[in-house]
Amino acid sequence: MKAEENHLYRVNSLEELAVVTRVPIKCIEYAIEHGYRRYYKKSNNKGQKARLIEQPNQVLASILKVINEYLQQLDCPEYVMYAWKGRNALLNAKTHLGQFAFATMDINHYFPSTKIKYVREFFADILKIKGEALEYLVKLTTLNGHLPTGAPTSPILAYLSHKELLDEIYEHMKKKDITYTLLADDITLSAKHGITRKEVRYVASVLGRHGLRLKKKKTKFYSYKKALITGFYVLQCGRISVPYKIARTIIGILKEKPIKDMNKKELMRLGGYVNYQRLSDKKSFLTTKMKVKRQLKKLAKNEQKKGI
């Protein structure tokens, strides 16, 4: 969908914004007044720092969900592998099958580094939003001058706010016969010829115009044998596989406790690993998947009986 066909296009007043988001003006004002809750979440991986979560209040979250649905109606470029339905890490990895050289990069603190200035420019320049509506949209979708980490709109706005730069990288790489994809803060380059630090420096220089930086320690180069791209191995035999540690983790969890004795949180964790493993191999851990599913249903029925 083109910008001028979007429901948010040329919304100027608070009244119009209330109609488009399907909530009363009082709810919009309440959502902004109560804003976001900030807290730190510990990482499951040893050695990693706790992650800052900026979570919108319940009313704000429901408004942002509607706004996000409108934003997702905008056209999605072929190189963007997230924020739109059907775009995900697996598709991102598959896009690079058949290549011989790879480079992966991470944008440092992508959401906190996406400044309010560029969010405002997107709403104003692309969707032609003005007046009260513009000010309220900016207040709803940003926090302390940047994109909040826990808002449902942050992933897509992170792309849309930097679209001009990201498109520029795409066009540059296309001319050099390099496949370029973006999955949130993960950038991947691949080609049948070599990829050097010159390409990485180019990406860094373009992103730098909006104050974005690459994590130097996360920039990696891979040969033709196999490359680890957004959680999946891209193999030269034309297959995708998940890291071996995922299967080992599943087996380890199953050894610690029988599925019938697991609580909901433990079952969800195990199910997550199983689903991840099965993305590249539908035959693996099928029995485990079915057992987890049955046990979750059993727990749900027990909760209903207890009135939980």
Side-chain angles (χ1 to χ4, degrees):
M1 175 188 290
K2 294 180 180 179
E4 53 267 29
E5 298 172 337
N6 197 278
H7 287 291
L8 290 172
Y9 190 72
R10 291 193 183 280
V11 172
N12 296 326
S13 67
L14 180 56
E15 289 77 13
E16 288 177 290
L17 183 61
V19 171
V20 170
T21 55
R22 305 190 290 272
V23 294
I25 291 176
K26 287 184 178 180
C27 287
I28 295 177
E29 292 173 339
Y30 175 91
I32 292 173
E33 181 182 351
H34 292 271
Y36 293 82
R37 182 170 71 93
R38 302 173 81 247
Y39 62 94
Y40 286 90
K41 183 178 181 180
K42 291 183 179 180
S43 173
N44 291 327
N45 298 323
K46 293 182 179 179
Q48 285 192 359
K49 295 180 180 179
R51 188 161 57 98
L52 174 63
I53 304 297
E54 296 162 322
Q55 183 179 10
N57 64 72
Q58 190 172 358
V59 176
L60 177 54
S62 64
I63 296 172
L64 292 177
K65 184 179 179 181
V66 175
I67 294 171
N68 195 53
E69 289 173 357
Y70 288 136
L71 295 177
Q72 288 177 326
Q73 291 172 3
L74 295 171
D75 293 335
C76 177
E78 63 177 2
Y79 71 86
V80 178
M81 296 293 165
Y82 76 112
W84 274 270
K85 187 176 181 180
R87 304 298 178 96
N88 51 50
L90 179 59
L91 178 62
N92 184 63
K94 285 183 175 179
T95 302
H96 297 275
L97 280 170
Q99 304 287 50
F100 293 89
F102 310 83
T104 59
M105 293 155 264
D106 277 19
I107 301 173
N108 191 38
H109 300 300
Y110 194 25
F111 293 171
S113 296
T114 299
K115 303 306 178 186
I116 190 172
K117 171 185 176 182
Y118 303 112
V119 177
R120 182 188 297 275
E121 285 180 357
F122 160 71
F123 284 129
D125 297 344
I126 305 302
L127 291 177
K128 306 299 181 184
I129 299 170
K130 300 178 182 178
E132 275 187 321
L134 176 60
E135 297 309 313
Y136 274 84
L137 268 174
V138 170
K139 288 178 181 178
L140 288 167
T141 57
T142 64
L143 173 67
N144 298 332
H146 65 263
L147 288 179
T149 58
T153 47
S154 288
I156 196 166
L157 281 175
Y159 161 69
L160 293 169
S161 299
H162 306 296
K163 184 179 186 301
E164 185 179 348
L165 300 185
L166 297 167
D167 283 353
E168 185 178 327
I169 296 172
Y170 169 73
E171 293 298 335
H172 176 83
M173 296 302 170
K174 189 176 181 180
K175 290 177 182 177
K176 301 186 72 173
D177 291 324
I178 295 175
T179 299
Y180 154 73
T181 59
L182 175 74
L183 180 76
D185 57 355
D186 292 307
I187 293 175
T188 305
L189 304 179
S190 67
K192 286 185 168 56
H193 53 75
I195 292 178
T196 68
R197 292 202 173 271
K198 182 179 180 181
E199 281 74 47
V200 175
R201 287 195 295 269
Y202 173 80
V203 172
S205 67
V206 174
L207 294 178
R209 300 210 298 266
H210 275 194
L212 300 176
R213 299 286 182 269
L214 294 177
K215 297 178 184 177
K216 292 183 178 180
K217 293 182 179 179
K218 289 291 187 76
T219 298
K220 296 182 179 179
F221 294 86
Y222 297 94
S223 67
Y224 69 93
K225 292 182 179 179
K226 70 177 179 180
L228 182 59
I229 297 175
T230 53
F232 295 91
Y233 279 118
V234 174
L235 308 176
Q236 275 315 117
C237 61
R239 289 195 308 107
I240 297 288
S241 71
V242 300
Y244 307 122
K245 66 179 181 180
I246 302 302
R248 290 200 299 268
T249 300
I250 294 171
I251 293 169
I253 293 173
L254 292 172
K255 285 182 178 179
E256 288 176 3
K257 185 186 292 187
I259 290 176
K260 62 182 180 66
D261 294 335
M262 292 183 183
N263 58 36
K264 185 177 180 180
K265 185 177 180 180
E266 291 169 332
L267 288 167
M268 293 296 289
R269 177 171 176 260
L270 174 59
Y273 280 117
V274 170
N275 288 335
Y276 182 18
Q277 175 69 29
R278 286 172 48 78
L279 284 172
S280 62
D281 183 4
K282 292 296 183 182
K283 294 181 180 179
S284 63
F285 294 101
L286 177 59
T287 302
T288 301
K289 178 184 178 180
M290 299 308 296
K291 286 182 178 180
V292 168
K293 192 174 180 180
R294 284 197 295 268
Q295 187 62 20
L296 281 170
K297 285 184 177 180
K298 185 177 179 181
L299 290 180
K301 286 182 179 179
N302 290 339
E303 288 178 354
Q304 285 181 344
K305 289 179 181 179
K306 295 177 181 178
I308 296 177

